[in-house]
Amino acid sequence: MQRREWLAAAAVAVATVAALAACSRSDPERELRATIDSMARALEQRRPGDFLDAVAEDFTRESGAFGKQEVKRVLAGVLLRNEKINLAVVVTEVQVQVQGERARAQLRVVAAGGAGLLPERGQVWEFHTAWRRERGAWKVYNAEWREGL
């Protein structure tokens, strides 16, 4: 009887250690979603530097010559034009690839901005983005976007 109890206790201990190890492992999709969320919050809080931290130095847009410098210019224009910015970001699809080091994400972004209590303008965008890990952080290195419906 003691042997069975000991085996049961050992099995519980092994299962507990395995469960704790699984919980402590990185979840690339969860981390990517958190990065996307922090980018949206940075823009709403008018912190373009924090937003740009998640944009790779070699960022490109497939449909034209558009790099990180152009992203900076667009952000500056958005911030100058809108005293308040509100974003609703929905990640519609995530595909993590290459052992959690690369990913693709599709997003729908509803943006509203203006100076008063109520938004003066708004737009819906669809983004197709490509991401990679750089020094443990997700960076967007390619994106394509269009106006949403």
Side-chain angles (χ1 to χ4, degrees), residues 36-65:
I36 293 167
D37 184 55
S38 70
M39 291 175 80
R41 279 185 279 122
L43 194 53
E44 287 179 327
Q45 295 170 1
R46 306 181 65 77
R47 295 181 288 116
D50 291 348
F51 180 94
L52 291 166
D53 284 346
V55 178
E57 291 301 320
D58 61 345
F59 175 85
T60 60
R61 181 177 182 185
E62 291 178 10
S63 65

Side-chain angles (χ1 to χ4, degrees), residues 47-88:
R47 295 181 288 116
D50 291 348
F51 180 94
L52 291 166
D53 284 346
V55 178
E57 291 301 320
D58 61 345
F59 175 85
T60 60
R61 181 177 182 185
E62 291 178 10
S63 65
F66 194 95
K68 189 167 183 175
Q69 290 302 318
E70 286 73 24
V71 173
K72 287 180 185 179
R73 287 187 199 112
V74 168
L75 286 177
V78 166
L79 293 172
L80 285 173
R81 191 170 176 206
N82 298 286
E83 184 179 317
K84 295 179 183 176
I85 299 170
N86 294 305
L87 299 174

Side-chain angles (χ1 to χ4, degrees), residues 2-146:
Q2 287 180 337
R3 184 177 174 161
R4 281 189 178 164
E5 290 172 356
W6 184 86
L7 287 174
V12 168
V14 168
T16 301
V17 169
L20 289 173
C23 290
S24 67
R25 268 191 248 147
S26 158
D27 180 353
E29 181 176 340
R30 181 177 41 83
E31 292 170 1
L32 177 56
R33 287 175 182 270
T35 298
I36 293 167
D37 184 55
S38 70
M39 291 175 80
R41 279 185 279 122
L43 194 53
E44 287 179 327
Q45 295 170 1
R46 306 181 65 77
R47 295 181 288 116
D50 291 348
F51 180 94
L52 291 166
D53 284 346
V55 178
E57 291 301 320
D58 61 345
F59 175 85
T60 60
R61 181 177 182 185
E62 291 178 10
S63 65
F66 194 95
K68 189 167 183 175
Q69 290 302 318
E70 286 73 24
V71 173
K72 287 180 185 179
R73 287 187 199 112
V74 168
L75 286 177
V78 166
L79 293 172
L80 285 173
R81 191 170 176 206
N82 298 286
E83 184 179 317
K84 295 179 183 176
I85 299 170
N86 294 305
L87 299 174
V89 179
V90 177
V91 179
T92 58
E93 183 179 343
V94 174
Q95 299 172 338
V96 177
Q97 308 153 342
V98 191
Q99 298 174 349
E101 296 298 312
R102 295 208 182 240
R104 295 203 170 273
Q106 294 181 25
L107 321 169
R108 174 169 281 165
V109 178
V110 178
L117 181 60
L118 297 175
E120 297 166 3
R121 59 194 138 269
Q123 184 66 52
V124 177
W125 297 95
E126 301 285 339
F127 287 85
H128 295 267
T129 59
W131 300 78
R132 68 174 173 247
R133 284 205 198 241
E134 292 181 6
R135 293 182 207 100
W138 283 109
K139 302 275 185 171
V140 60
Y141 67 89
N142 185 269
E144 195 62 37
W145 58 90
R146 64 181 172 80

